[in-house]
Coordinates of all heavy atoms in Angstrom, one line a residue:
M220 N 188.0 79.3 3.3 CA 186.7 79.1 3.9 C 185.8 80.3 3.7 O 186.2 81.4 3.7 CB 186.9 79.0 5.4 CG 185.7 78.7 6.2 SD 186.1 78.3 7.9 CE 184.5 78.3 8.5
Q221 N 184.6 80.0 3.3 CA 183.6 81.1 3.0 C 183.2 81.8 4.2 O 183.1 81.2 5.3 CB 182.4 80.5 2.3 CG 182.8 79.9 0.9 CD 181.5 79.3 0.3 OE1 180.5 79.2 0.9 NE2 181.6 79.0 -1.0
D222 N 182.9 83.1 4.1 CA 182.3 83.8 5.2 C 180.8 83.5 5.2 O 180.1 83.6 4.2 CB 182.5 85.3 5.0 CG 183.9 85.8 5.1 OD1 184.7 85.1 5.9 OD2 184.3 86.8 4.6
T223 N 180.3 83.1 6.4 CA 178.9 82.8 6.6 C 178.4 83.5 7.8 O 179.1 83.7 8.7 CB 178.6 81.3 6.7 OG1 179.4 80.8 7.9 CG2 179.1 80.5 5.5
T224 N 177.2 83.9 7.7 CA 176.6 84.5 8.9 C 176.1 83.4 9.9 O 176.1 82.2 9.5 CB 175.3 85.3 8.5 OG1 174.3 84.4 8.0 CG2 175.6 86.4 7.5
L225 N 175.9 83.8 11.1 CA 175.4 82.8 12.1 C 174.2 82.1 11.7 O 174.0 80.9 11.9 CB 175.2 83.6 13.4 CG 174.9 82.7 14.6 CD1 175.9 81.6 14.9 CD2 174.7 83.5 15.9
D226 N 173.2 82.9 11.1 CA 172.0 82.2 10.7 C 172.2 81.2 9.6 O 171.6 80.1 9.6 CB 171.0 83.3 10.1 CG 170.4 84.2 11.2 OD1 170.4 83.7 12.4 OD2 170.0 85.3 10.9
E227 N 173.1 81.5 8.6 CA 173.4 80.5 7.6 C 174.1 79.3 8.2 O 173.8 78.1 7.8 CB 174.4 81.1 6.5 CG 173.7 82.1 5.7 CD 174.7 82.9 4.8 OE1 175.9 82.9 5.1 OE2 174.3 83.5 3.8
F228 N 175.0 79.5 9.1 CA 175.7 78.4 9.8 C 174.7 77.5 10.6 O 174.7 76.3 10.5 CB 176.8 78.9 10.8 CG 177.5 77.8 11.5 CD1 178.4 77.0 10.9 CD2 177.3 77.6 12.8 CE1 179.0 76.0 11.5 CE2 177.9 76.6 13.6 CZ 178.8 75.8 12.9
T229 N 173.8 78.2 11.3 CA 172.7 77.4 12.0 C 171.9 76.6 11.1 O 171.5 75.5 11.4 CB 171.9 78.4 12.8 OG1 172.7 79.2 13.7 CG2 170.8 77.7 13.7
D230 N 171.5 77.2 10.0 CA 170.7 76.5 9.0 C 171.5 75.2 8.4 O 170.9 74.2 8.3 CB 170.3 77.4 7.8 CG 169.3 78.4 8.2 OD1 168.6 78.2 9.2 OD2 169.2 79.4 7.4
K231 N 172.7 75.4 8.2 CA 173.5 74.3 7.7 C 173.6 73.2 8.7 O 173.5 72.0 8.5 CB 175.0 74.8 7.3 CG 175.0 75.5 6.1 CD 176.4 76.0 5.8 CE 176.5 76.8 4.5 NZ 177.8 77.2 4.2
V232 N 173.8 73.6 10.0 CA 173.9 72.6 11.1 C 172.6 71.9 11.2 O 172.6 70.6 11.4 CB 174.4 73.2 12.4 CG1 174.2 72.3 13.6 CG2 175.8 73.7 12.3
D233 N 171.5 72.6 11.2 CA 170.1 72.0 11.3 C 169.9 71.0 10.1 O 169.4 69.9 10.4 CB 169.0 73.1 11.3 CG 169.0 73.9 12.6 OD1 169.5 73.4 13.6 OD2 168.4 74.9 12.6
R234 N 170.3 71.4 8.9 CA 170.1 70.5 7.8 C 170.9 69.2 8.0 O 170.5 68.1 7.7 CB 170.4 71.2 6.5 CG 169.4 72.2 6.0 CD 169.6 72.6 4.6 NE 170.9 73.1 4.3 CZ 171.3 74.3 4.3 NH1 170.4 75.3 4.6 NH2 172.5 74.6 4.0
F235 N 172.2 69.4 8.4 CA 173.1 68.3 8.7 C 172.5 67.4 9.7 O 172.5 66.1 9.5 CB 174.5 68.7 9.1 CG 175.4 67.7 9.5 CD1 176.0 66.9 8.5 CD2 175.7 67.4 10.8 CE1 176.8 65.9 8.9 CE2 176.5 66.3 11.2 CZ 177.1 65.6 10.2
E236 N 172.0 67.9 10.8 CA 171.4 67.1 11.9 C 170.2 66.3 11.4 O 170.1 65.1 11.7 CB 171.0 68.0 13.0 CG 170.4 67.3 14.2 CD 170.0 68.2 15.3 OE1 170.2 69.4 15.2 OE2 169.5 67.7 16.4
K237 N 169.3 67.0 10.6 CA 168.1 66.2 10.1 C 168.5 65.1 9.1 O 168.0 64.0 9.2 CB 167.2 67.3 9.4 CG 166.5 68.1 10.3 CD 165.7 69.2 9.6 CE 165.0 70.1 10.6 NZ 164.3 71.2 9.9
N238 N 169.6 65.4 8.3 CA 170.0 64.4 7.4 C 170.6 63.2 8.1 O 170.4 62.1 7.8 CB 171.0 65.0 6.4 CG 171.4 64.1 5.2 OD1 170.6 63.2 4.9 ND2 172.5 64.3 4.7
L239 N 171.4 63.5 9.1 CA 172.1 62.5 9.9 C 171.0 61.6 10.6 O 171.1 60.4 10.6 CB 173.0 63.1 10.9 CG 173.9 62.1 11.8 CD1 174.8 61.3 10.9 CD2 174.6 62.9 12.8
K240 N 170.0 62.3 11.2 CA 169.0 61.5 11.9 C 168.2 60.7 10.9 O 167.9 59.5 11.2 CB 168.0 62.5 12.6 CG 166.9 61.8 13.4 CD 166.3 62.7 14.4 CE 165.2 62.0 15.1 NZ 165.3 60.6 15.4
R241 N 167.9 61.2 9.8 CA 167.1 60.4 8.8 C 167.9 59.2 8.4 O 167.4 58.1 8.3 CB 166.9 61.3 7.5 CG 166.0 60.6 6.5 CD 165.7 61.5 5.3 NE 166.9 62.2 4.8 CZ 167.7 61.7 3.9 NH1 167.6 60.5 3.5 NH2 168.7 62.4 3.5
R242 N 169.2 59.3 8.1 CA 170.0 58.2 7.7 C 170.2 57.2 8.9 O 170.2 56.0 8.6 CB 171.4 58.7 7.3 CG 171.3 59.4 6.0 CD 172.6 59.9 5.5 NE 172.5 60.7 4.3 CZ 173.4 60.6 3.3 NH1 174.4 59.8 3.3 NH2 173.2 61.4 2.2
L243 N 170.3 57.7 10.1 CA 170.4 56.8 11.3 C 169.1 56.0 11.5 O 169.2 54.8 11.8 CB 170.8 57.6 12.5 CG 171.1 56.8 13.8 CD1 172.2 55.8 13.5 CD2 171.3 57.7 14.9
D244 N 168.0 56.7 11.2 CA 166.7 56.0 11.3 C 166.6 54.8 10.3 O 166.1 53.7 10.6 CB 165.6 56.9 11.1 CG 165.4 57.9 12.3 OD1 165.9 57.6 13.4 OD2 164.7 58.9 12.2
I245 N 167.1 55.1 9.1 CA 167.1 54.1 8.0 C 168.0 52.9 8.5 O 167.6 51.7 8.4 CB 167.6 54.6 6.7 CG1 166.6 55.6 6.2 CG2 167.9 53.5 5.7 CD1 167.1 56.4 5.0
V246 N 169.2 53.2 9.0 CA 170.1 52.1 9.5 C 169.5 51.3 10.6 O 169.5 50.1 10.7 CB 171.5 52.7 9.9 CG1 172.3 51.7 10.6 CG2 172.2 53.3 8.7
K247 N 168.8 52.0 11.6 CA 168.2 51.3 12.7 C 167.0 50.4 12.2 O 166.8 49.3 12.6 CB 167.7 52.3 13.7 CG 168.8 52.9 14.5 CD 168.1 53.9 15.6 CE 169.1 54.5 16.5 NZ 168.6 55.4 17.4
A248 N 166.3 51.0 11.2 CA 165.1 50.2 10.7 C 165.6 48.9 10.0 O 164.9 47.9 10.1 CB 164.3 51.1 9.8
R249 N 166.7 49.0 9.3 CA 167.2 47.8 8.7 C 168.0 46.9 9.6 O 168.6 45.9 9.2 CB 168.1 48.3 7.5 CG 167.4 49.0 6.4 CD 168.3 49.3 5.3 NE 167.6 50.0 4.3 CZ 168.2 50.7 3.2 NH1 169.5 50.6 3.1 NH2 167.5 51.3 2.3
R250 N 168.1 47.3 10.9 CA 168.8 46.5 11.9 C 170.2 46.2 11.5 O 170.8 45.1 11.7 CB 168.1 45.3 12.2 CG 166.7 45.5 12.8 CD 165.9 44.3 13.0 NE 164.5 44.6 13.2 CZ 163.9 44.1 14.3 NH1 164.5 43.5 15.2 NH2 162.7 44.5 14.5
L251 N 171.0 47.3 11.0 CA 172.3 47.2 10.6 C 173.3 47.5 11.7 O 174.5 47.2 11.6 CB 172.6 48.1 9.4 CG 171.8 47.8 8.1 CD1 172.1 48.8 7.1 CD2 172.1 46.4 7.6
L252 N 172.8 47.9 12.9 CA 173.7 48.3 14.0 C 173.7 47.1 15.0 O 172.6 46.5 15.2 CB 173.2 49.6 14.7 CG 173.3 50.9 13.9 CD1 172.8 52.0 14.7 CD2 174.8 51.1 13.5
A253 N 174.8 46.9 15.6 CA 174.9 46.0 16.7 C 174.1 46.6 17.9 O 174.0 47.8 18.0 CB 176.3 45.7 17.0
P254 N 173.7 45.7 18.8 CA 172.9 46.2 20.0 C 173.7 47.3 20.8 O 173.1 48.3 21.2 CB 172.7 45.0 20.9 CG 172.7 43.9 19.9 CD 173.7 44.3 18.8
D255 N 175.0 47.1 21.0 CA 175.8 48.1 21.7 C 175.9 49.4 20.9 O 175.8 50.5 21.5 CB 177.2 47.6 22.1 CG 178.0 47.4 20.8 OD1 177.5 46.9 19.8 OD2 179.3 47.6 20.9
Q256 N 175.9 49.3 19.6 CA 175.9 50.6 18.8 C 174.6 51.3 18.9 O 174.5 52.5 18.9 CB 176.3 50.3 17.4 CG 177.7 49.8 17.1 CD 178.0 49.3 15.7 OE1 177.0 48.7 15.1 NE2 179.2 49.5 15.2
T257 N 173.5 50.5 18.9 CA 172.2 51.1 19.0 C 172.0 51.8 20.4 O 171.5 52.9 20.5 CB 171.1 50.0 18.8 OG1 171.2 49.4 17.6 CG2 169.7 50.6 19.0
A258 N 172.5 51.1 21.4 CA 172.5 51.7 22.8 C 173.2 53.0 22.8 O 172.9 54.0 23.4 CB 173.0 50.7 23.8
R259 N 174.5 53.0 22.2 CA 175.4 54.2 22.2 C 174.6 55.3 21.4 O 174.7 56.5 21.9 CB 176.7 53.8 21.5 CG 177.7 55.0 21.6 CD 179.0 54.7 21.0 NE 179.5 53.4 21.4 CZ 180.5 52.8 20.7 NH1 180.9 53.2 19.6 NH2 180.9 51.6 21.2
S260 N 174.0 55.0 20.3 CA 173.3 56.0 19.6 C 172.1 56.6 20.4 O 171.9 57.8 20.4 CB 172.7 55.4 18.3 OG 171.9 56.3 17.6
D261 N 171.4 55.7 21.1 CA 170.3 56.2 22.0 C 170.8 57.1 23.0 O 170.2 58.1 23.4 CB 169.5 55.1 22.5 CG 168.8 54.2 21.5 OD1 168.5 54.8 20.3 OD2 168.4 53.1 21.7
R262 N 171.9 56.7 23.6 CA 172.5 57.6 24.7 C 173.0 58.9 24.1 O 172.8 60.0 24.7 CB 173.8 56.9 25.3 CG 173.4 55.8 26.3 CD 174.6 55.4 27.2 NE 175.7 55.1 26.4 CZ 176.1 53.9 25.9 NH1 175.3 52.9 26.1 NH2 177.2 53.7 25.2
F263 N 173.5 58.9 22.9 CA 173.9 60.1 22.2 C 172.7 61.0 22.0 O 172.7 62.2 22.2 CB 174.6 59.8 20.9 CG 175.0 61.0 20.1 CD1 176.1 61.8 20.5 CD2 174.2 61.4 19.0 CE1 176.4 63.0 19.8 CE2 174.5 62.6 18.3 CZ 175.6 63.3 18.6
D264 N 171.6 60.4 21.5 CA 170.3 61.2 21.2 C 169.8 61.8 22.5 O 169.4 63.0 22.5 CB 169.3 60.3 20.6 CG 169.5 59.9 19.2 OD1 170.4 60.6 18.5 OD2 168.9 58.9 18.7
E265 N 169.8 61.0 23.6 CA 169.4 61.5 24.9 C 170.3 62.7 25.4 O 169.7 63.7 25.8 CB 169.4 60.4 25.9 CG 168.8 60.8 27.2 CD 167.3 61.3 27.1 OE1 166.5 60.8 26.3 OE2 166.9 62.2 27.9
K266 N 171.6 62.6 25.2 CA 172.5 63.6 25.6 C 172.2 64.9 24.8 O 172.2 66.0 25.3 CB 173.9 63.2 25.5 CG 174.9 64.1 26.0 CD 174.9 64.3 27.5 CE 176.0 65.1 28.0 NZ 175.9 65.4 29.4
M267 N 172.0 64.7 23.5 CA 171.7 65.8 22.6 C 170.5 66.5 23.0 O 170.4 67.7 23.0 CB 171.6 65.3 21.2 CG 171.5 66.5 20.2 SD 173.0 67.5 20.3 CE 173.1 67.9 18.6
K268 N 169.4 65.8 23.4 CA 168.2 66.4 23.8 C 168.4 67.2 25.1 O 167.8 68.3 25.3 CB 167.1 65.3 24.0 CG 166.6 64.7 22.8 CD 165.6 63.6 23.1 CE 165.1 62.9 21.8 NZ 164.3 61.8 22.0
Q269 N 169.2 66.7 26.0 CA 169.5 67.4 27.3 C 170.3 68.7 26.9 O 169.9 69.7 27.6 CB 170.3 66.5 28.2 CG 169.6 65.4 28.8 CD 170.5 64.4 29.6 OE1 171.7 64.6 29.6 NE2 169.9 63.4 30.1
I270 N 171.2 68.6 26.1 CA 171.9 69.8 25.7 C 171.0 70.9 25.1 O 171.1 72.1 25.4 CB 173.1 69.5 24.8 CG1 174.2 68.7 25.5 CG2 173.7 70.7 24.1 CD1 175.2 68.1 24.6
Q271 N 170.2 70.4 24.2 CA 169.2 71.4 23.5 C 168.3 72.0 24.5 O 168.0 73.2 24.5 CB 168.5 70.7 22.4 CG 169.3 70.3 21.2 CD 168.6 69.4 20.2 OE1 167.6 68.8 20.5 NE2 169.1 69.5 19.0
L272 N 167.8 71.2 25.4 CA 166.9 71.7 26.5 C 167.6 72.7 27.4 O 167.1 73.8 27.7 CB 166.4 70.5 27.3 CG 165.4 70.9 28.5 CD1 164.2 71.6 27.9 CD2 165.1 69.7 29.3
K273 N 168.8 72.4 27.7 CA 169.6 73.3 28.5 C 169.9 74.6 27.8 O 169.8 75.7 28.4 CB 171.0 72.7 28.9 CG 171.8 73.5 29.9 CD 173.0 72.7 30.4 CE 173.7 73.5 31.4 NZ 174.9 72.8 31.9
A274 N 170.1 74.5 26.5 CA 170.4 75.7 25.7 C 169.1 76.6 25.6 O 169.2 77.8 25.7 CB 170.8 75.3 24.3
K275 N 167.9 75.9 25.5 CA 166.7 76.6 25.5 C 166.4 77.3 26.7 O 165.9 78.5 26.8 CB 165.5 75.7 25.1 CG 165.5 75.3 23.6 CD 164.3 74.3 23.3 CE 164.4 73.9 21.9 NZ 163.2 72.9 21.6
C276 N 166.7 76.6 27.8 CA 166.5 77.2 29.2 C 167.4 78.4 29.4 O 167.0 79.5 29.9 CB 166.8 76.2 30.2 SG 165.5 74.9 30.4
M277 N 168.7 78.3 28.9 CA 169.6 79.4 29.1 C 169.1 80.6 28.2 O 169.2 81.8 28.7 CB 171.0 79.0 28.6 CG 171.6 77.9 29.5 SD 172.0 78.6 31.2 CE 173.5 79.5 30.8
A278 N 168.6 80.3 27.0 CA 168.2 81.4 26.2 C 167.0 82.0 26.8 O 166.8 83.3 26.7 CB 167.9 80.9 24.8
S279 N 166.0 81.3 27.3 CA 164.8 81.8 27.9 C 165.2 82.7 29.1 O 164.5 83.7 29.4 CB 163.8 80.8 28.2 OG 164.2 80.0 29.3
Q280 N 166.2 82.2 29.9 CA 166.5 83.0 31.1 C 167.1 84.4 30.6 O 166.9 85.4 31.2 CB 167.6 82.3 31.9 CG 167.0 81.1 32.6 CD 168.0 80.3 33.4 OE1 169.2 80.5 33.3 NE2 167.5 79.3 34.1
T281 N 167.9 84.4 29.6 CA 168.4 85.6 29.0 C 167.3 86.6 28.6 O 167.3 87.7 29.0 CB 169.3 85.4 27.8 OG1 170.3 84.4 28.2 CG2 169.9 86.6 27.3
V282 N 166.3 86.0 28.0 CA 165.1 86.8 27.6 C 164.4 87.4 28.8 O 164.1 88.5 28.9 CB 164.2 86.1 26.7 CG1 162.9 86.8 26.4 CG2 164.9 85.8 25.3
D283 N 164.2 86.5 29.8 CA 163.5 86.9 31.0 C 164.3 88.0 31.7 O 163.7 89.0 32.2 CB 163.4 85.7 32.0 CG 162.3 84.8 31.5 OD1 161.5 85.2 30.6 OD2 162.3 83.6 32.0
W284 N 165.7 87.9 31.7 CA 166.5 89.0 32.4 C 166.3 90.3 31.7 O 166.2 91.4 32.2 CB 167.9 88.6 32.5 CG 168.1 87.6 33.7 CD1 168.4 86.3 33.7 CD2 167.9 87.9 35.1 NE1 168.5 85.8 34.9 CE2 168.2 86.7 35.8 CE3 167.6 89.1 35.8 CZ2 168.2 86.7 37.2 CZ3 167.6 89.0 37.2 CH2 167.8 87.8 37.9
E285 N 166.3 90.2 30.3 CA 166.2 91.5 29.5 C 164.8 92.1 29.8 O 164.7 93.3 30.0 CB 166.3 91.2 28.0 CG 167.7 91.2 27.5 CD 168.4 92.5 27.7 OE1 167.8 93.6 27.4 OE2 169.5 92.6 28.3
L286 N 163.8 91.2 29.9 CA 162.4 91.7 30.1 C 162.4 92.3 31.5 O 161.7 93.3 31.7 CB 161.5 90.6 30.0 CG 159.9 90.9 30.2 CD1 159.5 92.0 29.2 CD2 159.1 89.6 30.0
R287 N 163.0 91.6 32.5 CA 162.9 92.1 33.9 C 163.7 93.5 34.0 O 163.2 94.4 34.6 CB 163.6 91.1 34.8 CG 162.8 89.9 35.0 CD 163.4 89.0 36.0 NE 162.9 87.6 35.9 CZ 161.8 87.2 36.5 NH1 161.0 88.0 37.2 NH2 161.4 85.9 36.4
K288 N 164.7 93.6 33.2 CA 165.5 94.8 33.2 C 164.6 95.9 32.7 O 164.6 97.1 33.2 CB 166.8 94.7 32.4 CG 167.6 95.9 32.2 CD 168.8 95.7 31.3 CE 169.5 97.0 30.9 NZ 170.4 96.8 29.9
L289 N 163.9 95.7 31.6 CA 163.1 96.7 31.0 C 161.9 97.1 31.9 O 161.5 98.2 32.0 CB 162.5 96.2 29.6 CG 163.6 96.2 28.5 CD1 163.0 95.4 27.3 CD2 164.2 97.5 28.2
E290 N 161.4 96.1 32.6 CA 160.3 96.3 33.5 C 160.7 97.2 34.7 O 160.0 98.1 35.1 CB 159.7 95.0 34.1 CG 158.9 94.3 33.0 CD 158.4 92.9 33.5 OE1 159.0 92.4 34.6 OE2 157.6 92.3 32.9
I291 N 161.9 96.9 35.2 CA 162.4 97.7 36.3 C 162.7 99.1 35.9 O 162.4 100.1 36.6 CB 163.8 97.1 36.9 CG1 163.4 95.8 37.6 CG2 164.5 98.0 37.7 CD1 164.6 94.9 38.0
Q292 N 163.3 99.3 34.6 CA 163.5 100.6 34.1 C 162.2 101.4 34.0 O 162.1 102.6 34.3 CB 164.2 100.6 32.7 CG 165.6 100.2 32.9 CD 166.3 100.0 31.5 OE1 165.6 99.9 30.4 NE2 167.6 100.0 31.4
N293 N 161.1 100.7 33.5 CA 159.8 101.3 33.3 C 159.3 101.7 34.8 O 158.8 102.8 34.9 CB 158.9 100.4 32.7 CG 157.5 101.0 32.4 OD1 157.4 102.1 31.9 ND2 156.5 100.3 32.7
D294 N 159.4 100.8 35.7 CA 158.9 101.1 37.1 C 159.7 102.3 37.7 O 159.1 103.2 38.3 CB 159.1 99.9 38.0 CG 158.2 98.7 37.6 OD1 157.2 99.0 36.9 OD2 158.4 97.6 38.1
M295 N 161.0 102.3 37.5 CA 161.8 103.5 38.0 C 161.3 104.8 37.3 O 161.3 105.8 38.0 CB 163.3 103.2 37.8 CG 163.9 102.1 38.6 SD 163.6 102.3 40.4 CE 164.7 103.7 40.7
L296 N 161.1 104.8 36.1 CA 160.6 105.9 35.3 C 159.3 106.4 35.9 O 159.1 107.6 36.1 CB 160.5 105.7 33.8 CG 160.1 106.8 33.0 CD1 161.1 108.0 33.0 CD2 159.9 106.4 31.5
L297 N 158.3 105.4 36.1 CA 157.0 105.8 36.7 C 157.2 106.4 38.1 O 156.6 107.4 38.4 CB 156.1 104.6 36.7 CG 155.6 104.1 35.3 CD1 154.9 102.7 35.5 CD2 154.7 105.1 34.7
L298 N 158.0 105.8 38.9 CA 158.3 106.3 40.2 C 158.9 107.7 40.2 O 158.5 108.6 41.0 CB 159.1 105.3 41.0 CG 158.5 104.0 41.5 CD1 159.5 103.1 42.1 CD2 157.4 104.3 42.5
T299 N 159.8 107.9 39.4 CA 160.5 109.2 39.2 C 159.5 110.2 38.8 O 159.5 111.3 39.4 CB 161.7 109.1 38.3 OG1 162.6 108.1 38.6 CG2 162.4 110.4 38.1
N300 N 158.7 109.9 37.8 CA 157.7 110.9 37.4 C 156.6 111.2 38.5 O 156.2 112.3 38.7 CB 157.0 110.4 36.1 CG 157.8 110.5 34.9 OD1 158.8 111.2 34.8 ND2 157.5 109.7 33.9
S301 N 156.2 110.1 39.2 CA 155.3 110.3 40.3 C 155.9 111.2 41.4 O 155.3 112.1 42.0 CB 154.9 109.0 40.9 OG 154.2 108.2 40.0
F302 N 157.2 111.0 41.7 CA 157.9 111.8 42.7 C 158.0 113.2 42.3 O 157.8 114.1 43.0 CB 159.2 111.2 43.0 CG 160.0 111.9 44.1 CD1 159.7 111.8 45.4 CD2 161.0 112.8 43.7 CE1 160.3 112.5 46.4 CE2 161.7 113.5 44.7 CZ 161.3 113.3 46.1
D303 N 158.4 113.4 41.0 CA 158.5 114.8 40.5 C 157.1 115.5 40.6 O 157.1 116.7 40.9 CB 159.0 114.8 39.0 CG 160.5 114.4 38.9 OD1 161.2 114.5 39.9 OD2 160.9 114.0 37.8
H304 N 156.1 114.8 40.2 CA 154.7 115.4 40.3 C 154.3 115.8 41.7 O 153.9 116.8 42.0 CB 153.7 114.4 39.6 CG 152.3 114.9 39.7 ND1 151.8 115.9 39.0 CD2 151.2 114.5 40.5 CE1 150.6 116.2 39.2 NE2 150.2 115.3 40.1
W305 N 154.7 114.9 42.6 CA 154.4 115.1 44.1 C 155.2 116.2 44.6 O 154.7 117.1 45.3 CB 154.7 113.8 44.8 CG 154.5 113.9 46.3 CD1 153.3 114.0 47.0 CD2 155.6 114.0 47.3 NE1 153.6 114.1 48.4 CE2 155.0 114.0 48.5 CE3 157.0 113.9 47.2 CZ2 155.7 114.2 49.7 CZ3 157.7 114.0 48.4 CH2 157.1 114.1 49.6
A306 N 156.5 116.3 44.2 CA 157.3 117.4 44.6 C 156.8 118.8 44.1 O 156.8 119.8 44.8 CB 158.8 117.2 44.2
R307 N 156.4 118.8 42.8 CA 155.9 120.0 42.3 C 154.6 120.4 43.0 O 154.4 121.6 43.2 CB 155.6 119.8 40.8 CG 156.8 120.1 39.9 CD 156.5 120.1 38.5 NE 157.0 118.8 37.9 CZ 156.3 118.0 37.3 NH1 155.0 118.2 37.0 NH2 156.7 116.8 36.9
R308 N 153.7 119.5 43.3 CA 152.5 119.8 44.0 C 152.8 120.3 45.4 O 152.2 121.3 45.9 CB 151.7 118.5 44.2 CG 150.2 118.7 44.2 CD 149.5 117.5 44.1 NE 148.9 117.2 45.4 CZ 148.4 116.0 45.8 NH1 148.5 115.0 44.9 NH2 148.0 115.8 46.9
L309 N 153.8 119.8 46.1 CA 154.2 120.3 47.4 C 154.8 121.7 47.3 O 154.4 122.6 48.1 CB 155.3 119.4 48.1 CG 154.8 118.1 48.7 CD1 156.0 117.4 49.3 CD2 153.8 118.4 49.8
D310 N 155.6 121.9 46.3 CA 156.2 123.2 46.1 C 155.1 124.3 45.8 O 155.1 125.4 46.3 CB 157.2 123.2 44.9 CG 158.4 122.5 45.3 OD1 158.7 122.3 46.4 OD2 159.2 122.2 44.3
C311 N 154.1 123.9 45.0 CA 153.0 124.9 44.6 C 152.2 125.2 45.9 O 151.9 126.3 46.2 CB 152.1 124.3 43.6 SG 152.8 124.2 41.9
G312 N 151.9 124.2 46.7 CA 151.2 124.4 48.0 C 152.0 125.2 48.9 O 151.5 126.1 49.6
F313 N 153.3 125.0 49.0 CA 154.1 125.8 49.9 C 154.3 127.2 49.4 O 154.2 128.2 50.2 CB 155.5 125.2 50.0 CG 156.5 125.8 50.9 CD1 156.3 125.7 52.3 CD2 157.5 126.6 50.4 CE1 157.2 126.3 53.1 CE2 158.4 127.3 51.3 CZ 158.2 127.1 52.7
N314 N 154.4 127.4 48.1 CA 154.5 128.7 47.5 C 153.2 129.5 47.7 O 153.3 130.7 47.9 CB 154.9 128.7 46.1 CG 156.3 128.3 45.9 OD1 157.1 128.4 46.8 ND2 156.6 127.7 44.7
K315 N 152.0 128.9 47.7 CA 150.8 129.6 47.8 C 150.6 130.0 49.3 O 150.0 131.0 49.5 CB 149.6 128.6 47.5 CG 149.4 128.4 46.0 CD 148.2 127.5 45.8 CE 148.1 127.2 44.3 NZ 147.0 126.3 44.0
R316 N 151.2 129.3 50.3 CA 151.1 129.7 51.7 C 152.0 130.9 52.0 O 151.7 131.6 53.0 CB 151.5 128.5 52.6 CG 150.4 127.4 52.6 CD 150.8 126.4 53.5 NE 149.9 125.2 53.4 CZ 150.1 124.0 53.8 NH1 151.2 123.8 54.5 NH2 149.2 123.1 53.7
K317 N 153.0 131.2 51.2 CA 153.9 132.3 51.5 C 153.2 133.5 51.1 O 152.8 134.4 51.2 CB 155.1 132.2 50.6 CG 156.1 131.2 51.1 CD 157.3 131.4 50.2 CE 158.4 130.5 50.7 NZ 159.6 130.5 50.0

């Protein structure tokens, strides 16, 4: 078996899926499928769309969590810097009073 990267594998799967869909559309257009086979194919297409939608949602949630993590880190850095600045200001004011 050849070594392939994930991107290459994804491209191959995408090409396979498009080719399969194109051929299935031709078969449906020629009415070569029995009604139960057409219904089964439609159910399969619907299930595939649900899986793809779920995968997109999962991927977007991952991105959102990464973004949220970075935002929290940024907020914590800003708060820490503000606190350090405030503490230095208090120390300067206290040292001046001595």
